[in-house]
Amino acid sequence: MKQKIYWKNGFYGTPVEGGVEISIEYWQELLDGQSAGLIIVENEKGYPILKEYEPTLLELKARKIAELQAYDSSESVNSFSIGNVSGWLNNSTRVGLMNSISIERESGRSETTIWLDDAKLVLSIEKAIDMLQQIELYALACYNTTQGHINAINQLETKEEIEAYNFKTGYPGKLSFFG
């Protein structure tokens, strides 16, 4: 005799009043499907079936914004080059460098050293300040672009609009400096 279990409103067990009877084998199929990313729902007769999860519009927007933020943090946006060296200076590093370079200038130095990843770059004080200002303006423009995309994504009303939205547009061209 095959053992049976009962299903009702997302709960299973031995005889459940008003529940539908399912086999242990079918229950295992449901569990296997759930492990593969499907969800267990009930059909119109209360019988448990497997179905693909359909995210809500809010979840789709959150996913799209997470993809946008990953792009915004990537080398596709956060990089510039000096000669043949590429890299990025985060906000706190840029602020720290600007303060240090200003102190160097006030003390009468004419050159400064900036490290871009493992590359040592010796630049004139004026060139370094100009470069840091341009990078800061570039970073601000990228920030504004990203925030504009977040706002646009939050205004979308359908799954199709969210899926089709291209957040890789509108960013300024990457900066390139000569050593």
Side-chain angles (χ1 to χ4, degrees):
M1 177 177 182
K2 288 191 175 185
Q3 191 175 12
K4 301 283 184 177
I5 61 173
Y6 294 82
W7 172 273
K8 182 177 180 184
N9 297 329
F11 297 100
Y12 63 93
T14 54
V16 174
E17 189 176 326
V20 294
E21 186 178 288
I22 61 174
S23 69
I24 295 291
E25 293 81 13
Y26 185 63
W27 178 243
Q28 189 58 56
E29 283 180 43
L30 292 171
L31 294 177
D32 291 344
Q34 195 174 39
S35 294
L38 300 173
I39 59 172
I40 302 171
V41 297
E42 294 177 5
N43 66 13
E44 61 279 351
K45 295 180 182 175
Y47 196 77
I49 58 172
L50 291 168
K51 182 179 173 186
E52 278 194 43
Y53 178 73
E54 294 181 29
T56 66
L57 285 179
L58 224 54
E59 291 169 325
L60 289 171
K61 288 177 184 182
R63 187 179 304 157
K64 185 64 91 167
I65 289 170
E67 291 171 13
L68 163 62
Q69 290 169 331
Y71 178 75
D72 177 61
S73 298
S74 74
E75 288 183 14
S76 296
V77 174
N78 290 340
S79 73
F80 66 91
S81 62
I82 302 175
N84 61 353
V85 177
S86 292
W88 184 245
L89 301 171
N90 65 34
N91 185 54
S92 60
T93 301
R94 292 190 308 269
V95 169
L97 281 172
M98 189 60 92
N99 288 335
S100 297
I101 293 169
S102 294
I103 292 169
E104 286 178 310
R105 179 172 56 185
E106 287 173 17
S107 70
R109 293 187 183 172
S110 61
E111 290 186 329
T112 190
T113 301
I114 293 179
W115 288 88
L116 195 55
D117 293 325
D118 61 350
K120 179 182 179 180
L121 305 164
V122 179
L123 304 167
S124 74
I125 296 284
E126 297 311 314
K127 182 171 186 155
I129 289 172
D130 178 61
M131 183 183 75
L132 287 170
Q133 288 172 339
Q134 288 184 55
I135 294 168
E136 192 62 35
L137 291 172
Y138 169 84
L140 179 60
C142 290
Y143 172 81
N144 287 331
T145 301
T146 298
Q147 292 307 116
H149 284 306
I150 289 171
N151 185 54
I153 290 167
N154 282 325
Q155 303 303 312
L156 300 175
E157 296 180 0
T158 67
K159 175 184 176 183
E160 293 75 23
E161 288 176 325
I162 296 166
E163 289 174 351
Y165 187 83
N166 181 4
F167 54 74
K168 296 180 180 180
T169 63
Y171 285 92
K174 289 185 184 182
L175 298 174
S176 181
F177 303 98
F178 297 98

